[in-house]
Amino acid sequence: MQWFNVGKIVNTHGIRGEVRVLSRTDFPEERFAVGTKLGLFTPDAKKPIMVKIASHRQHKNFELVTFEGYPNINDVEPFKESYLKIAEHDLSELEDNAFYHHEILGCTVFSTDGEEIGTISEILETGANDVWEVTPKTGKKHYIPYIEDIVKEVDVDEKKVIIEVIEGLLS
């Protein structure tokens, strides 16, 4: 089974079993909703501890979460530095022209002329739109904004992206 990161437990919060989670998802309301089951991966564990969200609220830049069956600080103290992950089968369908990062990473980018530009190695979230870091076989990396004028086609099944190369984009 494949797992995808939705957050990292960075600390405890108070004495009632709450943990501070640094969110790594675009859908915190959905991922940390009461009743949601997540895999908790401690730094040294091979298998996850399955946890069920008992409560969720936002506080500053963190998601504050409690888990069913872990009512106090002593229960959750060992979870510091652990990752919360969602199973692939629990991912929801996205709207058209929206993709999960794991679908885009590793895609090969081609120009509309068929020239291979490189492979998407990282996704930078800039606010207005994502920027894809494209690493060619040789030379320096390119940064491609994920906007309609540039990205013409995305085929996640074939791991292929076609872009319109405009002046200055690849320099």
Side-chain angles (χ1 to χ4, degrees):
M1 184 183 323
Q2 201 166 5
W3 294 88
F4 299 101
N5 191 10
V6 294
K8 181 178 183 182
I9 298 174
V10 293
N11 210 343
T12 57
H13 186 85
I15 61 170
R16 301 198 194 291
E18 234 174 359
V19 292
R20 282 186 191 199
V21 177
L22 194 56
S23 178
R24 291 284 178 244
T25 177
D26 287 338
F27 314 106
E29 306 80 23
E30 184 180 327
R31 299 293 178 241
F32 303 115
V34 173
T36 301
K37 290 182 181 169
L38 296 173
L40 189 147
F41 289 78
T42 56
D44 52 351
K46 299 277 187 255
K47 288 186 171 183
I49 298 166
M50 294 307 295
V51 293
K52 191 173 187 180
I53 304 290
S55 72
H56 168 245
R57 63 188 175 107
Q58 290 187 306
H59 177 68
K60 298 184 181 175
N61 294 334
F62 299 99
E63 309 297 326
L64 297 181
V65 176
T66 59
F67 306 116
E68 286 184 10
Y70 298 90
N72 70 54
I73 190 171
N74 297 328
D75 297 327
V76 296
E77 186 78 31
F79 296 161
K80 282 184 188 177
E81 300 300 311
S82 297
Y83 287 91
L84 292 171
K85 299 184 180 192
I86 188 167
E88 184 173 27
H89 59 76
D90 290 331
L91 293 175
S92 54
E93 287 291 316
L94 296 176
E95 56 195 53
D96 290 346
N97 297 325
F99 306 96
Y100 287 109
H101 286 193
H102 71 272
E103 294 177 309
I104 297 300
L105 291 169
C107 285
T108 305
V109 179
F110 295 90
S111 70
T112 51
D113 298 334
E115 178 188 347
E116 184 176 326
I117 296 167
T119 304
I120 299 173
S121 52
E122 191 169 340
I123 298 172
L124 309 170
E125 296 177 23
T126 62
N129 55 270
D130 287 351
V131 175
W132 296 345
E133 180 183 85
V134 177
T135 305
K137 288 184 175 141
T138 60
K140 64 180 183 163
K141 296 176 181 176
H142 307 293
Y143 294 91
I144 310 296
Y146 179 53
I147 56 175
E148 250 178 67
D149 293 346
I150 304 290
V151 179
K152 298 301 180 186
E153 185 182 324
V154 177
D155 185 341
V156 293
D157 295 326
E158 295 290 322
K159 298 297 270 179
K160 182 177 178 180
V161 173
I162 297 174
I163 64 166
E164 179 76 39
V165 179
I166 60 172
E167 190 176 333
L169 183 67
L170 301 179
S171 56

